[in-house]
Amino acid sequence: MSVRKFRCDLLDLPAGSVLKLEREEENHLFKILRALPGDRIELLDGTGSIASAEVVPGRQVKLLEIRRIPPPERRVHLYIAPPRRQKMDSVLREATELGVWRIVPMICEFSVSEPDASSVSGRWNDAMFEACKQSGNPYLPGTVAPLRFSDALEECRQTCTTVYFGSPTDSVETGIPDGDIAWFVGPEGGFSGQELSQLAAFGARPLRIGRWILRVETAAVAGIALLLSR
């Protein structure tokens, strides 16, 4: 049986520290799971630290050991024109479980949804942290406020060394390099002709995932899995 995981800021906390969890996490541990002294849990802070902990009296937990997980050598940054809310929620969860490094929402010519900045910093982060706890991923993906397509390309220039975009017909044959990789996924209507021209001028490489045209949420998750596994 896997050990339950909870969110906790572990910065500068040494082993042996006794602390209370945030209210929502505390209620889940003690009211829903009915934890008792001596029960073991794990704590994640979303920045690469994982702590093993023990429940102690007073609805508190004691840190037993803190491990630091090094960042991955290959980091996928998902640049996505968000689908509608329910589908995007699935992308957030599944991409986090796979280990995506960042999720950058972008507004394209054929976009069908434009999340506001407060949703990205609030609801999105909450959904992704739940996926971290479920999967054990110690790194909460980063996010930024929605960017226009051209601004996303410029932002990508500052953060990534290699750029890929989905193509139903063409694909690069070379291996995927380590480092920071951008994965561009367009909206339901696909990238416009001008956006495809911008990607080509930028040096983005086409990546074919399957034989047929994929939905946004399928392409996003399948592309991350493919880029991380090669």
Side-chain angles (χ1 to χ4, degrees):
M1 182 177 178
S2 61
V3 178
R4 295 277 189 168
K5 298 173 177 62
F6 296 85
R7 184 175 190 169
C8 181
D9 185 359
L10 298 171
L11 182 64
D12 297 329
L13 289 178
S17 298
V18 176
L19 60 130
K20 279 185 171 290
L21 301 178
E22 295 180 2
R23 178 175 295 180
E24 185 176 343
E25 299 290 87
E26 180 186 0
N27 286 340
H28 187 204
L29 178 60
F30 293 103
K31 287 188 176 181
I32 297 177
L33 300 179
R34 301 183 182 278
L36 298 172
D39 289 348
R40 295 292 182 93
I41 62 172
E42 287 187 338
L43 305 175
L44 307 176
D45 65 1
T47 65
S49 294
I50 301 178
S52 56
E54 179 180 357
V55 175
V56 296
R59 293 168 64 96
Q60 300 182 101
V61 297
K62 180 180 181 180
L63 302 184
L64 303 177
E65 179 188 16
I66 302 176
R67 309 186 308 278
R68 179 70 184 177
I69 310 301
E73 294 183 356
R74 183 182 299 168
R75 296 167 294 275
V76 174
H77 301 237
L78 172 64
Y79 288 78
I80 182 172
R84 301 193 189 280
R85 177 169 174 164
Q86 185 175 5
K87 294 178 179 179
M88 189 61 203
D89 287 349
S90 295
V91 172
L92 295 171
R93 292 191 299 269
E94 294 171 21
T96 300
E97 291 168 10
L98 285 169
V100 74
W101 192 248
R102 290 171 74 235
I103 299 180
V104 179
M106 58 182 181
I107 309 306
C108 297
E109 185 173 337
F110 301 140
S111 286
V112 298
S113 176
E114 183 174 348
D116 56 67
S118 61
S119 292
V120 174
S121 62
R123 185 178 62 82
W124 281 28
N125 271 343
D126 290 342
M128 291 188 295
F129 217 113
E130 286 302 311
C132 283
K133 294 193 300 184
Q134 186 277 327
S135 64
N137 177 6
Y139 284 97
L140 177 70
T143 57
V144 299
L147 300 173
R148 295 292 168 186
F149 178 80
S150 58
D151 294 329
L153 276 178
E154 186 57 37
E155 199 260 12
C156 172
R157 190 190 305 275
Q158 308 300 321
T159 57
C160 298
T161 56
T162 313
V163 182
Y164 294 91
F165 67 97
S167 171
T169 57
D170 302 315
S171 188
V172 293
E173 299 299 331
T174 57
I176 307 299
D178 285 336
D180 290 276
I181 299 170
W183 172 229
F184 272 73
V185 178
E188 292 176 6
F191 289 119
S192 69
Q194 181 178 1
E195 289 164 347
L196 288 172
S197 296
Q198 287 179 270
L199 283 166
F202 191 76
R205 306 177 183 183
L207 183 66
R208 184 182 182 187
I209 300 174
R211 298 173 61 189
W212 316 115
I213 296 174
L214 305 178
R215 291 181 179 274
V216 175
E217 61 272 25
T218 306
V221 173
I224 293 168
L226 185 61
L227 289 167
L228 288 175
S229 64
R230 281 193 174 184

